[in-house]
């Protein structure tokens, strides 16, 4: 077996670190999992669960405490699934979440997990953005990516050209349309568009589809991106089941 390295974006594989993300990889995308690395301190119950899944899909298990510590940079990581990177096409008939220039790995992972919870399985990431395959993203998402279609695009124009005939809803602070009222009458399929954590969406998005806002008090200037994304996804999911 080839030697495993500490994660770099240029590698053609990544890691699902931790018991739950590892199990999500085994159960939801076993065709991508190449091997599973275990820590000798893993509990017997967790080991049996992973062993059963690995045996079912004929995936190699190996104990390597030093390697796990190297790739996880943590003391309490007991399992890691080594998985092949793949970029599936988004489903053009489904509703999408578009993340424009998202830069925080924790935010991306949290948004992916929330998106899965609210039934959004197709995620477009507009570059420049953080690496969706980074183990920190996979862990923050608790393995949600293995149940989703997540794809990078070099620009919004590239995304838009491939997924036409849909409604666009950019989330912008200077919009006058309340997201609550707009979400009730949304045609499908639609794309909910969210911007960078610090700068938000560029002004050009005012002229793309219908810009919406999540009203909040003047005591704050904005909501955290992952919180805003969750609120927006909840409202649109509520009225578009």
């Amino acid at each position: 077996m080839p030697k495993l390295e500490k994660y770099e974006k240029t590698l053609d594989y990544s890691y699902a670190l931790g018991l739950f993300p590892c199990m999500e990889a085994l159960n939801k995308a076993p065709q991508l999992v190449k091997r599973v690395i275990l820590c000798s301190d893993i509990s017997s119950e967790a080991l049996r669960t992973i062993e059963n899944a690995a045996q079912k899909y004929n995936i190699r298990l190996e104990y390597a405490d030093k390697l796990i510590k190297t790739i996880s940079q943590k003391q309490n990581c007991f399992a890691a699934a080594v998985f092949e990177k793949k970029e599936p096409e988004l489903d053009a008939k489904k509703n999408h979440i578009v993340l424009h220039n998202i830069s925080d790995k924790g935010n991306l992972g949290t948004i992916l997990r929330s998106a899965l919870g609210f039934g959004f399985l197709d995620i477009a990431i507009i570059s420049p953005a953080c690496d969706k395959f980074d183990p920190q993203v996979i862990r923050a998402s608790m393995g949600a990516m293995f149940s989703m279609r997540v794809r990078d695009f070099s620009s919004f124009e590239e995304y838009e050209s491939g997924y036409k005939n849909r409604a666009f809803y950019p989330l912008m602070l200077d919009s006058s349309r309340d997201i609550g009222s707009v979400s009730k009458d949304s045609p499908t399929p639609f794309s909910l568009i969210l911007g960078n954590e610090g700068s938000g969406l560029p002004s050009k998005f005012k002229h793309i589809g219908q810009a919406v806002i999540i009203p909040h008090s003047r005591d704050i200037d904005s909501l955290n991106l992952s919180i805003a994304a969750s609120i927006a996804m909840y409202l649109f999911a509520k009225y578009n089941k």
Side-chain angles (χ1 to χ4, degrees):
M1 298 291 286
K3 181 181 177 181
L4 297 175
E5 304 176 41
K6 183 178 177 182
Y7 180 75
E8 296 286 347
K9 189 173 182 178
T10 54
L11 295 174
D12 61 2
Y13 61 87
S14 185
Y15 303 103
L17 302 173
L19 294 173
F20 191 81
C22 179
M23 283 304 307
E24 285 295 281
L26 286 168
N27 289 327
K28 301 298 174 57
Q31 73 281 3
L32 299 180
V33 180
K34 302 307 177 186
R35 58 208 272 204
V36 173
I37 313 300
L38 300 174
C39 175
S40 58
D41 291 334
I42 189 172
S43 71
S44 58
E45 182 178 354
L47 176 59
R48 283 194 299 272
T49 302
I50 290 176
E51 282 180 332
N52 290 339
Q55 183 177 14
K56 179 179 179 180
Y57 299 110
N58 195 30
I59 295 170
R60 172 178 168 171
L61 296 180
E62 58 185 272
Y63 288 91
D65 291 23
K66 185 176 180 180
L67 176 59
I68 277 210
K69 185 176 180 181
T70 297
I71 63 179
S72 70
Q73 300 294 298
K74 291 181 178 293
Q75 297 291 335
N76 62 343
C77 182
F78 301 104
V82 184
F83 68 92
E84 181 184 2
K85 294 179 179 180
K86 290 288 186 182
E87 286 227 33
E89 293 287 344
L90 305 187
D91 189 333
K93 297 180 180 179
K94 301 295 185 180
N95 301 321
H96 297 174
I97 303 299
V98 180
L99 302 174
H100 189 274
N101 301 164
I102 186 169
S103 61
D104 186 273
K105 298 170 187 176
N107 275 338
L108 177 54
T110 301
I111 291 171
L112 291 178
R113 182 161 174 77
S114 295
L116 181 60
F118 291 123
F120 293 94
L121 304 184
D122 294 87
I123 313 296
I125 300 177
I126 311 301
S127 298
C130 59
D131 177 11
K132 65 182 180 295
F133 289 119
D134 190 288
Q136 292 183 44
V137 175
I138 304 300
R139 189 157 192 169
S141 79
M142 294 300 286
M145 183 182 290
F146 299 113
S147 299
M148 309 172 78
R149 294 173 289 271
V150 186
R151 191 171 185 85
D152 288 332
F153 296 86
S154 61
S155 66
F156 180 77
E157 289 71 24
E158 181 193 2
Y159 166 75
E160 185 180 25
S161 67
Y163 300 94
K164 299 179 180 179
N165 301 316
R166 58 178 46 240
F168 292 115
Y169 294 102
L171 190 62
M172 305 188 75
L173 289 174
D174 55 357
S175 171
S176 60
R177 293 296 304 274
D178 186 321
I179 192 172
S181 61
V182 173
S183 61
K184 293 179 181 179
D185 302 311
S186 172
T188 55
F190 62 79
S191 296
L192 183 58
I193 308 169
L194 298 109
N196 175 267
E197 294 89 342
S199 57
L201 288 170
S203 58
K204 70 177 183 180
F205 280 92
K206 293 179 183 178
H207 310 292
I208 297 174
Q210 174 58 66
V212 293
I213 188 172
I214 299 174
H216 56 72
S217 76
R218 296 181 179 178
D219 295 322
I220 58 172
D221 59 352
S222 65
L223 295 166
N224 172 275
L225 177 61
S226 60
I227 293 175
S230 294
I231 293 171
M233 289 187 286
Y234 165 74
L235 289 171
F236 274 90
K238 180 179 180 181
Y239 297 110
N240 294 278
K241 294 182 179 180

